[in-house]
Amino acid sequence: MKLWGGRFKKGTSDLVNDFNSSIRVDSRMYKEDIEGSLAHVKMLGKQGIIPKASSDKIESGLNEILTRMENGVIEIDSSSEDIHSFVEGTLTYYIGPCGKKLHTGRSRNDQVTLDLRMYLKKAQKDIISDILSLQEVIFNKSKENISTIMPGYTHMQKAQPITLAHHLLAYGEMLKRDIGRLQDCYKRTDEMPLGSGALATSTYPIDRIAVAKDLGFSKITLNSLDSVSDRDYVIETLSALSMIMMHLSRFSEEIILWCTNEFSFIELDDAYSTGSSIMPQKKNPDVAELIRGKTGRVYGDLMTLLTVMKGIPLAYNKDMQEDKECLFDALDTITLSLKTFTGMLKTMKVNKDTMRKGAAGGFTNATDLADYLVKKGEAFRTAHGIVGEIVLHCIKENKAIEDLSIEKLKEFSPIFEEDVYKAIDLFTCVEERKVIGGPSSQSVNIQLDALKKFIEETKGGL
Ligand code: ARG
């Protein structure tokens, strides 16, 4: 059913009907649309804007439609203009002319942003909950790997020894911030726009606060022009989602590297790997690669809406209908990415020995050798120079620092004594870094406790 047409002499072309329609995209908001209409019509009845008998009849009609849609008895008609037209049309078909009173004092312009806010509030919470599940896996994997030594890198060159727990918990921190951003977006999504009408509210004595309370919003929007044309809450959510994807993509890139033949730090479970149609030996990290790839797609969704919005004068313009497709695409992509990534991480096998061997190569204890000299009185810059010469010598001799005899070391500096070997043992290098934020078990336990507390508190607040 068309909601307009009175002022037209002939029908729109099929092409325009199709072009104009958003039902393929917005039908997923049918529940929010009906719930929003329920709150609206209850308020209309209570305020005496329509007779109580009419609002009761509409209410039971809407409830009936919702049940039938949930049971699959009513199917969405794909030729409708949008979900709002479909629900109103179905209502009138079910309960008769009384259904035509539903839209009193409202416009699709305030209705669509209400629906979207309701849909998004739930989606934001669902994503937070998916991130929490990933954080739980990070927590458990880190706990198992507090003493799994691995090389830490800068410039993709081996730098200093760390532990796998320390490395994984870096992502735990990123995801904490990601949740914080979503919680912040939630606050601004949680503002109720209905009553703004097409752009300038209405002359009916509507009660916007009652509708907000009924629908579980903590406040109402304050300017009707802004209310119907604001999509900041979608854009900032897309931005937060882009950041999450960026984090997952970096993590994916490391997983892809770690399971190469050259690294062999980890092995992905068969259930999270794929094969090649031609090369029988292959086991590919497609999940991680896809997440890396889909990150571009979510960035695209953000850019789409930023671009759509940039030239729109106040208030509502039809351009804004494009908001939902990119938002839903990003929500779907991130949800699948988070869930698959979590499963992949949970089931991945860690090759602890290979990681440790990796940390033993590349002079990752060179800084500790310099620090040894400093702790015995040498200036750091001088110590740095001495160790540089030692490394050069080792490269020439194809040896690790710890392979050199104490006599040889003394040729570079008389300060060296037998205790140097303990000081540059990888275990010492890691465990002595007790600074908060560092790789020692002591520091990592602080990070683990903080993550645990964060997970519990956030879960409690959902
Ligand atoms: N389907 C539209 C949207 O998603 C809502 C309808 C507003 N249309 C209008 N002609 N005022 O934005």
Side-chain angles (χ1 to χ4, degrees):
M1 182 196 86
K2 258 210 180 101
L3 299 180
W4 42 273
R7 63 99 61 220
F8 288 78
K9 287 208 187 98
K10 61 176 186 181
T12 23
S13 86
D14 287 347
L15 203 58
V16 171
N17 278 339
D18 198 32
F19 190 59
N20 193 38
S21 159
S22 58
I23 191 89
R24 280 183 300 267
V25 176
D26 60 28
S27 58
R28 69 159 86 185
M29 303 193 305
Y30 76 88
K31 201 160 173 241
E32 289 74 17
D33 195 72
I34 295 176
E35 282 168 1
S37 289
L38 278 166
H40 177 67
V41 82
K42 272 188 239 168
M43 181 277 292
L44 291 180
K46 222 190 238 152
Q47 295 295 102
I49 298 169
I50 63 171
K52 184 78 175 50
S54 302
S55 74
D56 285 348
K57 195 168 177 183
I58 294 176
E59 212 185 307
S60 62
L62 286 170
N63 278 320
E64 184 70 31
I65 292 171
L66 183 56
T67 313
R68 291 190 182 203
M69 286 185 80
E70 309 254 61
N71 297 341
V73 181
I74 299 179
E75 270 180 31
I76 292 174
D77 173 11
S78 60
S79 68
S80 299
E81 186 178 332
D82 54 28
I83 189 63
H84 327 296
S85 323
F86 174 74
V87 171
E88 193 182 319
T90 310
L91 178 72
T92 305
Y93 176 79
Y94 267 63
I95 67 166
C98 177
K100 296 184 178 183
K101 294 180 181 167
L102 169 65
H103 211 54
T104 314
R106 120 184 139 168
S107 153
R108 278 183 297 163
N109 298 353
D110 55 352
Q111 186 180 358
V112 69
T113 186
L114 171 73
D115 293 2
L116 195 56
R117 283 175 184 272
M118 288 168 71
Y119 185 92
L120 187 52
K121 276 170 66 182
K122 185 176 175 303
Q124 286 160 340
K125 288 198 170 185
D126 288 346
I127 291 169
I128 290 176
S129 154
D130 287 339
I131 299 176
L132 287 173
S133 304
L134 173 55
Q135 282 184 316
E136 272 168 357
V137 171
I138 290 177
F139 178 87
N140 292 330
K141 277 263 170 241
S142 301
K143 233 181 153 111
E144 287 161 29
N145 288 287
I146 293 184
S147 51
T148 305
I149 293 177
M150 66 177 282
Y153 295 81
T154 62
H155 312 274
M156 272 310 284
Q157 304 283 321
K158 285 180 188 175
Q160 290 174 347
I162 54 168
T163 64
L164 181 58
H166 188 217
H167 195 114
L168 294 176
L169 285 168
Y171 287 100
E173 290 300 305
M174 293 177 223
L175 294 166
K176 272 159 77 176
R177 295 194 293 273
D178 286 330
I179 287 182
R181 270 182 284 273
L182 284 173
Q183 287 170 327
D184 198 44
C185 292
Y186 182 91
K187 280 186 223 150
R188 281 176 295 275
T189 309
D190 189 22
E191 294 178 10
M192 209 290 297
L194 205 70
S196 302
L199 74 163
T201 70
S202 68
T203 54
Y204 301 103
I206 57 171
D207 184 349
R208 297 188 60 209
I209 291 171
V211 173
K213 274 202 189 123
D214 198 1
L215 293 173
F217 279 87
S218 56
K219 48 169 132 154
I220 58 170
T221 57
L222 269 188
N223 178 291
S224 60
L225 290 173
D226 178 48
S227 303
V228 290
S229 59
D230 167 28
R231 293 296 182 272
D232 292 4
Y233 63 97
V234 183
I235 295 176
E236 61 180 309
T237 302
L238 285 171
S239 162
L241 298 184
S242 296
M243 193 93 85
I244 298 169
M245 286 306 287
M246 182 265 283
H247 292 149
L248 290 185
S249 183
R250 292 181 75 180
F251 207 163
S252 293
E253 170 61 17
E254 300 204 300
I255 288 191
I256 293 163
L257 269 179
W258 289 353
C259 64
T260 55
N261 247 312
E262 289 75 7
F263 272 79
S264 291
F265 281 1
I266 56 157
E267 191 184 339
L268 293 180
D269 195 77
D270 281 0
Y272 285 88
S273 311
T274 45
S276 156
S277 59
I278 173 172
M279 299 167 281
Q281 84 283 11
K282 294 278 273 191
K283 183 169 172 185
N284 295 329
D286 286 28
V287 167
E289 289 169 38
L290 268 174
I291 289 170
R292 195 176 54 184
K294 283 176 188 292
T295 301
R297 184 185 174 117
V298 175
Y299 291 0
D301 291 324
L302 170 63
M303 288 319 296
T304 299
L305 194 56
L306 276 172
T307 313
V308 164
M309 293 302 293
K310 80 179 178 59
I312 302 185
L314 297 184
Y316 180 89
N317 291 261
K318 196 63 176 248
D319 321 37
M320 289 160 71
Q321 179 164 283
E322 294 296 310
D323 59 358
K324 284 167 284 300
E325 197 162 350
C326 49
L327 176 65
F328 295 160
D329 179 68
L331 291 173
D332 292 348
T333 306
I334 202 126
T335 303
L336 256 179
S337 300
L338 275 168
K339 285 187 198 299
T340 21
F341 190 93
T342 302
M344 177 177 69
L345 192 71
K346 189 173 180 180
T347 52
M348 105 188 166
K349 197 175 129 269
V350 176
N351 298 330
K352 297 188 181 186
D353 280 351
T354 322
M355 280 196 171
R356 197 178 201 300
K357 278 188 199 126
F363 309 105
T364 57
N365 50 4
T367 315
D368 293 82
L369 189 66
D371 290 341
Y372 170 91
L373 292 172
V374 170
K375 284 172 195 160
K376 298 219 171 198
E378 194 62 272
F380 180 75
R381 190 52 57 215
T382 314
H384 187 286
I386 294 169
V387 175
E389 285 170 26
I390 295 175
V391 168
L392 202 61
H393 170 78
C394 287
I395 292 171
K396 205 169 84 208
E397 299 286 311
N398 195 22
K399 280 182 173 163
I401 299 172
E402 55 274 24
D403 295 339
L404 302 181
S405 67
I406 189 70
E407 291 75 27
K408 188 77 213 166
L409 284 171
K410 276 182 186 292
E411 286 178 22
F412 292 93
S413 165
I415 296 177
F416 285 122
E417 298 187 57
E418 270 302 327
D419 60 351
V420 68
Y421 297 106
K422 174 131 198 299
I424 61 167
D425 181 82
L426 293 184
F427 183 74
T428 318
C429 298
V430 165
E431 276 305 303
E432 284 304 307
R433 286 179 158 75
K434 297 185 202 299
V435 177
I436 294 178
S440 71
S441 51
Q442 188 181 316
S443 315
V444 160
N445 275 318
I446 293 173
Q447 295 166 49
L448 278 168
D449 288 347
L451 182 59
K452 189 171 189 172
K453 191 158 168 266
F454 176 88
I455 294 173
E456 278 163 11
E457 283 175 4
T458 312
K459 257 192 189 163
L462 272 181

